[in-house]
Amino acid sequence: MIKLLNIETTLIFSISVLVTLLSCKENNTSTSEITSNSEPETETSAPETKLSSEFKDFWYNGEAEITSYKLEQARYGEMREGTAVLVFVSEDFLPEEQVKADNYSENNIPVLKLNATKNFNTGIYPYSIMQSTFYPVANNQHALKISASVQEWCGQVYTQLNNRTDFEVMSHSYFQGEADETFQIEKTWTENELWLKLRIDPKSLPTGKINIIPSIEYTRLKHENIKAYEATASLKNSIYTLTYNDLNRTLRINFNPNFPYDILSWEETFLSGYGDAASVLTTKATKLKTIKSDYWTKNKNSDLSLRETLKLK
């Protein structure tokens, strides 16, 4: 059950509502800044993370954190130049519909959302990738929803994972053998959620031998089955590392050891390409610029200068 908001939280909520009234459509600010035990009854909850005043001041001020990165992306056995953007923002989430809530309710689940995008070219044609992950700020359960889309001139793919009794997966693709799929998998760690878990409390990240579902982006680009794989996780010197032995893949996330634990860079090493063109390459993303902004209100031509601030073309 969702805990009833106390007087202090209600006051903070009221202030948050006044700070931001608009979202990507009409309302895109999270107002339930208190932790909540919204875990499905079939899962066992760990203790909730107690949110600090520092966390509340940073994430509940009506703005998103937007960070741009220089991207060196491995694709088809070659390196490609591009850009990546991570957009972190707090939101209220509807537990049944599993979408962003437009209006406040004590039954809403407060989440931290990550929209992660990549843009790069492979020869004549462009790639556009986006992943969205909704993770409860209570930090004691799995992501409530993950979606990913990949668009390029050959076609597009879309995959969505919903956290219900099990993980419910729906995937659509233009590739033969992947066209339209719906299936369920047992709940476990997801790579997508760890980026948000890191931002809430890096010390809570899982370490050692774990079973984990790789990022949806990776499984779709590599045409791997969406399932849990065994991996080894470690946290040392503000670098979180995931190594998948069966996939010959390693992910390293380099972050600021101090709050707000912003992500400075990341590397992903894996076998890229097919046949004789395949080789082990490392995708790299290096931070360019970070801003805080209620970006959903910055949709005029006069706001294009903000893209220059982020060093985005």
Side-chain angles (χ1 to χ4, degrees), residues 59-303:
W59 291 112
Y60 293 96
N61 67 348
E63 294 180 323
E65 180 200 78
I66 308 167
T67 305
S68 56
Y69 297 84
K70 175 185 176 182
L71 178 66
E72 300 169 72
Q73 177 72 42
R75 187 64 176 153
Y76 302 130
E78 294 184 306
M79 299 305 301
R80 323 292 179 150
E81 294 185 356
T83 56
V85 177
L86 300 184
V87 181
F88 289 90
V89 64
S90 59
E91 288 184 347
D92 275 3
F93 196 75
L94 295 176
E96 297 300 325
E97 295 88 340
Q98 296 206 339
V99 294
K100 183 183 71 67
D102 287 333
N103 300 297
Y104 169 74
S105 166
E106 65 180 22
N107 293 320
N108 293 344
I109 301 174
V111 302
L112 194 61
K113 180 180 74 173
L114 169 59
N115 283 336
T117 68
K118 286 182 176 180
N119 294 93
F120 58 92
N121 294 328
T122 52
I124 190 175
Y125 63 95
Y127 263 79
S128 179
I129 301 172
M130 181 171 180
Q131 298 186 94
S132 295
T133 306
F134 301 80
Y135 184 72
V137 297
N139 194 27
N140 65 343
Q141 63 186 103
H142 297 304
L144 299 178
K145 182 178 180 180
I146 302 170
S147 63
S149 61
V150 182
Q151 301 89 36
E152 37 96 2
W153 284 3
C154 294
Q156 58 184 315
V157 299
Y158 176 80
T159 301
Q160 181 171 303
L161 181 152
N162 290 85
N163 182 349
R164 302 192 190 280
T165 302
D166 291 308
F167 282 162
E168 298 178 358
V169 181
M170 172 187 67
S171 184
H172 302 285
S173 171
Y174 66 90
F175 285 98
Q176 182 176 345
E178 297 179 354
D180 299 290
E181 300 177 297
T182 58
F183 55 93
Q184 296 182 344
I185 52 180
E186 186 177 347
K187 294 182 183 181
T188 187
W189 295 109
T190 67
E191 184 180 310
N192 288 76
E193 72 193 30
L194 298 187
W195 295 72
L196 293 139
K197 194 173 183 67
L198 185 158
R199 298 304 308 271
I200 296 171
D201 179 13
K203 294 180 181 179
S204 70
L205 288 165
T207 57
K209 295 287 186 181
I210 60 174
N211 290 321
I212 183 169
I213 300 170
S215 75
I216 304 300
E217 171 195 325
Y218 173 81
T219 57
R220 296 304 79 197
L221 290 180
K222 292 290 291 181
H223 307 288
E224 297 284 359
N225 291 330
I226 301 174
K227 66 176 187 177
Y229 295 81
E230 186 178 277
T232 301
S234 65
L235 178 61
K236 185 177 180 180
N237 299 328
S238 303
I239 298 177
Y240 186 67
T241 304
L242 277 175
T243 301
Y244 297 83
N245 291 328
D246 290 344
L247 297 176
N248 191 24
R249 173 175 179 258
T250 299
L251 173 69
R252 297 180 183 87
I253 307 174
N254 176 30
F255 63 94
N256 179 356
N258 303 311
F259 184 84
Y261 313 121
D262 42 304
I263 294 169
L264 306 178
S265 63
W266 70 87
E267 296 182 358
E268 181 188 6
T269 301
F270 58 95
L271 183 66
S272 177
Y274 304 96
D276 294 338
S279 59
V280 175
L281 297 175
T282 299
T283 290
K284 298 180 181 179
T286 308
K287 179 178 175 180
L288 294 172
K289 183 70 175 179
T290 296
I291 65 172
K292 290 290 293 296
S293 173
D294 55 341
Y295 67 88
W296 46 91
T297 70
K298 312 299 183 185
N299 51 24
K300 297 181 175 59
N301 286 333
S302 58
D303 297 316

